[in-house]
Amino acid sequence: MNMKGRHFLTLLDYTKEEIEHLLDLAIKMKKGEVKKDLKGKSLAMLFQKSSTRTRVSFEVGMTQLEGHALFMDMGTTQLGRGETIGDTAQTLSRYVDGIMARLYKHSDAEELAKHATVPVINALTDLYHPCQTMADMMTVMEKKGKIAGLKVVFFGDCGFNMFNSTAIGFSKMGADVVACCPDHPNYSLNEKVMEKAREGATGKISVEHGPMEAAEGADIIMTDTWVSMGQDSEKAKRLQELRPYQVDARIMAKAKPDAIFMHCLPAHRGEEMSADVIDGKQSVVFDEAENRLHAQKAIMAELMG
Ligand code: CP
């Protein structure tokens, strides 16, 4: 399977077979069964927003692949002073072999990809977080041995990047994805994205507003922060409106006894989940964080190798 030179902006652009290939490769590379390298290659890492996991996992990933990664932010590049995304993409493409970008607007990631002649990897936009979902699916493969047939329930804001990528990725791989969110336009599904997700899905994508009903029989309980970067002015309102959707011990008790709890991190104990859930035995949040490294190494090796 040849993916060389392709962008990685959304899992909508990848088939089930391609995702399976990347997950299989990531698991084999993690176990040391397959070795890949990007010797002498460079990755530009462009950040409009803060990061802990994304920055470190991409940078360490490039080091482990024997390549090099460069951190770039708005404050110390000409992008922050108005240079266009198109000119930046063309310039960077003359130096590096891949561009990783964390941007506010997905349209800016598309603009970057339009002008870049090297692969552009989306490291989070308002619409998608495909690298996180790859790490999540890899974690589920390790914990459950499969994705198809599982019930994944996502609690909280289901109109945003993490739910979108979860719905696209997991339903494509055959899981049933349930959005458990308030019956309010601020938290409801992005129907344009869901329409595309359903086209490639072999599992179902549905909505259930009742938290206890949604959690019934779940294999995976997932949530994300209630106040994403750029939403600080709405914090008090969001905390109040999403409060009934906190994942706590009662929710976990409704799921299957061997259900796992997932969160892409950073987490806010007492908000989107209680401390006993994220720090409890069913939580796999640090496996997900570790798997960012392995999943992204596989993606970079295939796209930039
Ligand atoms: N999950 C995630 O993307 O983490 P960071 O914001 O720390 O990169």
Side-chain angles (χ1 to χ4, degrees), residues 50-55 102 129 132 229 264-266 292:
S50 312
S51 165
T52 297
R53 281 144 289 272
T54 302
R55 178 177 176 180
R102 168 166 283 194
H129 199 356
Q132 182 65 53
M229 288 174 276
C264 65
L265 304 177
R292 288 292 300 277

Side-chain angles (χ1 to χ4, degrees), residues 127-261:
L127 283 187
Y128 307 110
H129 199 356
C131 294
Q132 182 65 53
T133 297
M134 289 298 289
D136 291 352
M137 292 193 292
M138 179 180 171
T139 307
V140 170
M141 285 301 297
E142 290 176 336
K143 301 291 176 193
K144 301 280 179 194
K146 63 174 187 176
I147 296 174
L150 298 180
K151 178 179 177 183
V152 181
V153 187
F154 190 104
F155 284 78
D157 184 350
C158 294
F160 215 45
N161 46 29
M162 259 327 293
F163 179 77
N164 288 347
S165 286
T166 300
I168 295 163
F170 278 90
S171 71
K172 192 169 277 192
M173 301 304 288
D176 290 334
V177 179
V178 180
C180 186
C181 55
D183 190 4
H184 186 290
N186 283 357
Y187 307 106
S188 298
L189 279 58
N190 180 325
E191 281 306 332
K192 270 192 192 154
V193 173
M194 290 306 119
E195 198 178 312
K196 292 182 202 157
R198 287 191 178 102
E199 280 169 18
T202 52
K204 284 182 285 189
I205 301 171
S206 59
V207 181
E208 169 57 65
H209 297 300
M212 300 305 260
E213 292 82 356
E216 186 82 48
D219 298 283
I220 297 160
I221 299 282
M222 193 182 287
T223 189
D224 187 14
T225 179
W226 287 346
V227 187
S228 292
M229 288 174 276
Q231 294 179 325
D232 290 317
S233 60
E234 303 164 39
K235 182 170 179 177
K237 185 170 165 285
R238 291 178 67 85
L239 294 190
Q240 189 197 355
E241 288 174 347
L242 288 165
R243 185 68 186 81
Y245 294 85
Q246 182 187 79
V247 176
D248 58 14
R250 290 174 320 129
I251 297 282
M252 293 306 294
K254 279 279 176 187
K256 285 187 182 158
D258 63 350
I260 54 175
F261 172 75

